[in-house]
Amino acid sequence: MEIPLDLARTLAAVVDAGTFEAAAADLSITPSAVSQRVKQLEQRLGRVLVVRAKPVRATEAGEPIVRLARQLALLERDALAAFGGDSEASDRPAVVPLAVNADSLATWFLPALAGVERRHPVVFDLHRDDQDFTAGLLESGTVMGAVTSRAEPVAGCLVRPLGVMRYTAVATPDYVARWGVGADGAALARAPRVDLDRRDDLQAQYLHARAIDAAGSPRHFVPASNDFAAAVKLGLGWGLLPGFQSDAELADGSLVALGGPPIDVPLYWQQWNLGSPLLDAVAEALAVEAAQRL
């Protein structure tokens, strides 16, 4: 069985655009033609490939086809850049979707991408998720590379270690005095904490490491890394911060460490195994930046 590449590209366009109409505009064809191409591909493969909702999303069977189309688009762009036969196509910025955890995005990740953008025609489509879940975006074909806590390579991907992000539990002196968390570790079970979102388990890990039940701990949810740090520094709750976001405040006394063990989160870079010069340039820039900062 062969997969017609023009039909695979159409499927990816629909998933990327979110609707058949938007994909039609991107492809400069009619919505009816887009629908016919997707139906033709589904009939050829004998599977339903998209969930026809708003936005359209790939089914489990459609995800490998979307991934194939995106991989081909990247390789085609690299080939045109190397060949130099179509300057307009080779100079057009490549769209590179990447997944990254919130704390890396807020601290060391963007400077590396800025260096790549200065050397290559590229635009980045960043997807933020917990480091324990970013690998899933690689598996689905949503992204080409990901910062992840997963050391085992995703099928069809390369993996390289980046370093370790160390988190320390901190709070303001006023918060410590109000809740008594400095003198009595068990008070942390009653004291409000700050979590990034409902999948953020770093604070729970810290409590478990101190033999404290995390189930009843009141939680503030602040779903952005810089705002999370700001919430802790304003005394809204206690939380775990990486050194990038807490060293200066610990030094000047505006934050205090709560004791107990730090939480170390190993980070890895995973990317499609394509031999793409552009994707390799991204990986190298991230590895250099991570070596300096983690």
Side-chain angles (χ1 to χ4, degrees):
M1 181 184 298
E2 294 183 356
I3 300 172
L5 299 183
D6 59 330
L7 302 185
R9 289 188 176 99
T10 301
L11 178 69
V14 170
V15 172
D16 288 341
T19 67
F20 284 79
E21 293 77 11
D26 291 341
L27 297 172
S28 299
I29 58 177
T30 67
S32 176
V34 171
S35 180
Q36 289 173 6
R37 289 184 184 183
V38 173
K39 287 180 180 178
Q40 183 181 348
L41 184 59
E42 290 179 326
Q43 290 170 354
R44 187 181 186 94
L45 299 179
R47 300 285 186 87
V48 175
L49 301 177
V50 293
V51 177
R52 289 163 170 79
K54 288 190 177 181
V56 172
R57 65 182 186 276
T59 64
E60 184 176 352
E63 288 176 353
I65 311 303
V66 172
R67 183 167 61 247
L68 170 65
R70 289 173 176 158
Q71 291 174 341
L72 287 171
L74 178 62
L75 291 175
E76 182 179 54
R77 183 264 172 206
D78 286 337
L80 286 171
F83 181 67
D86 185 346
S87 60
E88 181 181 350
S90 60
D91 291 340
R92 187 181 304 126
V95 179
V96 177
L98 305 174
V100 59
N101 61 306
D103 289 331
S104 292
L105 181 60
T107 52
W108 64 271
F109 189 80
L110 289 177
L113 297 191
V116 175
E117 192 276 335
R118 285 192 288 269
R119 299 189 301 273
H120 300 273
V122 60
V123 291
F124 296 103
D125 177 10
L126 300 184
H127 298 249
R128 189 193 68 193
D129 206 344
D130 186 272
Q131 62 271 0
D132 294 337
F133 300 97
T134 50
L137 296 173
L138 269 175
E139 292 173 323
S140 69
T142 302
V143 300
M144 300 176 181
V147 175
T148 174
S149 59
R150 179 170 163 179
E152 178 186 357
V154 172
C157 292
L158 301 173
V159 60
R160 65 193 295 179
L162 291 172
V164 174
M165 186 168 281
R166 170 162 288 187
Y167 292 82
T168 302
V170 297
T172 64
D174 176 70
Y175 179 91
V176 170
R178 282 191 293 125
W179 291 94
V181 294
D184 178 10
L188 285 172
R190 303 185 301 272
R193 73 184 200 242
V194 183
D195 281 352
L196 192 69
D197 54 36
R198 285 166 177 77
R199 296 198 294 185
D200 178 11
D201 66 350
L202 280 181
Q203 282 67 228
Q205 287 184 43
Y206 172 79
L207 291 174
H208 292 154
R210 296 191 61 177
I212 299 169
D213 183 11
S217 175
R219 305 162 73 187
H220 299 290
F221 295 105
V222 183
S225 181
N226 286 330
D227 295 334
F228 177 102
V232 173
K233 293 172 185 179
L234 289 169
L236 195 63
W238 68 272
L240 285 120
L241 296 180
F244 307 116
Q245 295 178 320
S246 62
D247 284 348
E249 289 80 5
L250 287 169
D252 67 20
S254 56
L255 287 178
V256 295
L258 300 182
I263 300 293
D264 287 340
V265 178
L267 295 178
Y268 302 86
W269 172 250
Q270 295 210 32
Q271 70 180 58
W272 291 345
N273 184 12
L274 293 180
S276 163
L278 177 56
L279 204 51
D280 290 345
V282 172
E284 184 61 29
L286 291 174
V288 169
E289 190 71 25
Q292 298 172 351
R293 304 289 297 277
L294 296 180

